[in-house]
């Protein structure tokens, strides 16, 4: 597979996202909120015996944000799978992205209550259309995950920022090459 050079635009976009991810990486979990448990509200075990009396251990806003992220990652994974089944020649090119998304989905589901909604991915008409569709969806998911990360703090924010950064890079790497200007 030929090596692709990163365009100036890719470098600038990555440079714009990395400081935000680094800033989120410096966030500290609130020790009173569960000693590092993503989105923990109550770090102490419940002493009640009935399920109706238990207090939630994960902030519902965190669960909602991570569930939305899990749904987007699932949709991307399905698009990768559909594209590799329909166009086996793309399998090697899409393998890394598929692996990253499987890993991201596993990390998202580590938080109690997070669930992804599966949808059916449409099969693109050509391999180039498949790559363009994946790149477009990667970029859209990166924007959504970065926006969701900005509304959270601690481990959930860092996780979403990491996923957004990976999706930005994947989107740029899979985007069809543009013709260079002669200037």
């Amino acid at each position: 597979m030929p090596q692709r050079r990163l365009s100036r635009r890719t470098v600038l976009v990555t440079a714009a996202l990395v400081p935000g991810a680094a800033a989120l990486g410096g966030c500290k979990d609130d020790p009173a909120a569960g000693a590092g448990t993503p989105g923990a509200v109550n770090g102490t075990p419940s002493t009640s015996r009935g399920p109706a009396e238990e207090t939630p251990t994960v902030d519902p806003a965190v669960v909602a944000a991570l569930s939305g992220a899990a749904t987007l990652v699932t949709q991307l994974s399905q698009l990768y799978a559909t594209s590799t089944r329909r166009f086996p020649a793309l399998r090697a090119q899409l393998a890394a992205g598929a692996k990253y998304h499987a890993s991201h989905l596993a990390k998202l589901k580590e938080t109690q209550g997070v669930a992804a909604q599966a949808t059916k991915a449409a099969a693109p008409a050509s391999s180039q259309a498949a790559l363009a569709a994946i790149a477009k969806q990667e970029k859209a998911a990166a924007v959504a995950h970065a926006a969701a990360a900005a509304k959270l703090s601690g481990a959930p924010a860092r996780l979403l920022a990491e996923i957004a950064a990976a999706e930005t890079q994947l989107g740029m790497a899979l985007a069809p090459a543009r013709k260079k200007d002669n200037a």
Side-chain angles (χ1 to χ4, degrees), residues 87-138:
F87 308 107
L90 295 178
R91 185 167 285 131
Q93 189 174 1
L94 298 178
K99 178 180 152 187
Y100 287 132
H101 289 308
S103 171
H104 294 154
L105 190 58
K107 288 297 284 180
L108 288 164
K109 288 185 174 183
E110 286 178 3
T111 301
Q112 180 184 353
V114 172
Q117 296 178 356
T119 59
K120 202 161 201 170
S126 70
S127 61
Q128 290 303 316
L131 289 175
I134 291 171
K136 182 179 179 180
Q137 194 166 340
E138 288 280 9

Side-chain angles (χ1 to χ4, degrees), residues 14 16 28 31 37 43 70 78 90 95 119 129-130 132 138 142-143 156 160 168 172 177 183:
T14 302
K28 299 291 182 204
T37 303
Q78 290 172 338
L90 295 178
T119 59
E138 288 280 9
V143 169
L160 289 175
T168 298
M172 293 295 191

Side-chain angles (χ1 to χ4, degrees), residues 39 58-73 108 111 113-116 141 144-153 156-157 159-160 163:
V58 180
D59 182 358
V62 170
V63 172
L66 296 183
S67 292
T71 296
L72 286 175
V73 170
L108 288 164
T111 301
V114 172
H145 291 141
K151 295 177 184 175
L152 301 176
S153 65
L159 176 59
L160 289 175
I163 293 171

Side-chain angles (χ1 to χ4, degrees), residues 5 27 48-49 65 75 79 89 97-98 106 112 123 125 142 144 155 168 172 174:
R5 292 187 57 166
C27 294
S48 65
R49 304 236 181 229
Q75 290 170 350
L79 185 56
Q112 180 184 353
T168 298
M172 293 295 191
L174 295 174

Side-chain angles (χ1 to χ4, degrees), residues 41-48 50-60 112:
V41 173
N42 181 3
T44 58
S46 176
T47 56
S48 65
E53 295 177 7
E54 290 182 14
T55 57
T57 57
V58 180
D59 182 358
Q112 180 184 353

